[in-house]
Amino acid sequence: MTDSAIRHTAFGDGTPLVLIHGYTVDHRVLLPLEPAFADRPGWRRLYLDLPGHGASPRLSGPTSAAALAEAVFAWIDAELGGRPFAVVGQSFGGQLARAVTARYGEQVLGSALLVPVVGWGEDRTLPAQTVLERDRELFDRLPAAERELFEYTTARLDKRNWELFEQYVLPGWRVHDRAAAAELEADFMLPHWPERQAPEHRGRHLLVTTRQDALVGWHDQLALLDHYPRMAATVLDGAGHNPQVEHAEAVRGPFGAWLDELRRP
């Protein structure tokens, strides 16, 4: 363990794969990806807790997108040195993963971006919030704050998805640093699109979005295809902002194919 403000959870051995979660959750939101590695040995999965999230203390100074990106860069420098690695980013972590690819260039084998942030506030093209299914009896029993978060990020509000939400989303949400999160929300975007500060990246890349994501949308993310000539894209139907939780099998398909592509010459 380094002196970094970032703590991480590791599984497996082999090529490093850095996984970066989104805003106000922690690394557990990405754990549903783990079954994809059952028959794909040779990956050391490094699940980060961003500063102010999970087990990681908040930054000593103000929290912003740029400050968190610098913290991730410092962690990579300390933990990985010059070794090749791949990166996964979910939601806000997708913005940071894009910055990592721009910063480290050919050292990055490729990236998988799950519902990545590309704009915020009025700079988003969002679909109408859509609930495809609702278990009214279950929904009405939930605490108000958790009910609101569940409804805002999930397309099918049923017992199965609530249990997944309790296991993978709520633990990080309950322990995140509220003051740091408020600072980050006020300074949520990097100064520039990372891709516009770097040459085309010709590694293997994956984009996964969902039609029912009312938080970051799906339309704006398609512009990323212009910056990554080897990017595959999947727009899922039937899931909200945490598709790797709500629609895990549908995500693990293209995610597993991306891992396989990274192994090709």
Side-chain angles (χ1 to χ4, degrees):
M1 180 66 67
T2 71
D3 292 332
S4 167
I6 293 178
R7 306 291 181 261
H8 71 273
T9 300
F11 302 105
D13 296 293
T15 304
L17 178 62
V18 178
L19 298 102
I20 310 173
H21 64 79
Y23 175 64
T24 69
V25 288
D26 66 12
H27 76 277
R28 285 169 282 197
V29 79
L30 288 169
L31 291 179
L33 295 174
E34 273 297 298
F37 298 98
D39 56 356
R40 293 180 176 89
W43 292 102
R44 181 160 176 78
R45 287 90 70 196
L46 301 162
Y47 290 87
L48 307 191
D49 279 342
L50 292 172
H53 298 75
S56 298
R58 63 159 296 157
L59 297 173
S60 57
T63 298
S64 65
L68 291 183
E70 289 298 326
V72 171
F73 299 157
W75 182 90
I76 289 172
D77 291 342
E79 293 285 342
L80 304 184
R83 282 183 290 165
F85 67 96
V87 61
V88 176
Q90 178 256 350
S91 188
F92 177 78
Q95 181 180 209
L96 297 185
R98 293 162 53 213
V100 166
T101 300
R103 169 72 170 258
Y104 292 92
E106 293 184 1
Q107 187 179 346
V108 178
L109 302 171
S111 68
L113 307 177
L114 310 180
V115 295
V117 166
V118 300
W120 201 241
E122 296 181 356
D123 293 330
R124 293 174 289 178
T125 304
L126 298 178
Q129 186 173 351
T130 302
V131 174
L132 300 178
E133 185 178 340
R134 186 192 304 267
D135 181 333
R136 176 59 68 181
E137 181 180 355
L138 165 70
F139 190 73
D140 288 346
R141 292 200 310 265
L142 302 179
E146 296 178 2
R147 181 172 65 233
E148 181 180 0
L149 183 64
F150 184 46
E151 183 176 36
Y152 193 43
T153 59
T154 309
R156 298 186 186 278
L157 307 176
D158 56 19
K159 183 175 184 291
R160 172 187 172 275
N161 279 330
W162 172 250
E163 291 172 349
L164 292 169
F165 190 80
E166 277 192 303
Q167 181 177 358
Y168 294 113
V169 180
L170 281 182
W173 180 77
R174 285 169 174 159
V175 301
H176 79 272
D177 187 304
R178 265 59 177 176
E183 292 174 12
L184 179 57
E185 187 174 15
D187 200 353
F188 201 70
M189 298 300 298
L190 295 169
H192 307 283
W193 267 41
E195 294 80 7
R196 293 170 184 163
Q197 309 300 309
E200 278 187 351
H201 194 279
R202 305 194 69 83
R204 307 300 172 90
H205 298 274
L206 172 67
L207 170 68
V208 176
T209 66
T210 76
R211 294 300 299 264
Q212 286 79 34
D213 189 335
L215 187 60
V216 303
W218 59 270
H219 183 274
D220 301 333
Q221 285 74 4
L222 299 182
L224 293 172
L225 295 174
D226 292 332
H227 297 274
Y228 300 94
R230 300 301 306 278
M231 175 175 271
T234 297
V235 183
L236 297 175
D237 181 53
H241 186 60
N242 294 303
Q244 76 286 350
V245 174
E246 184 178 4
H247 214 343
E249 291 185 2
V251 173
R252 288 199 292 263
F255 182 75
W258 170 72
L259 292 172
D260 296 338
E261 284 294 315
L262 290 177
R263 292 300 193 197
R264 297 183 189 278

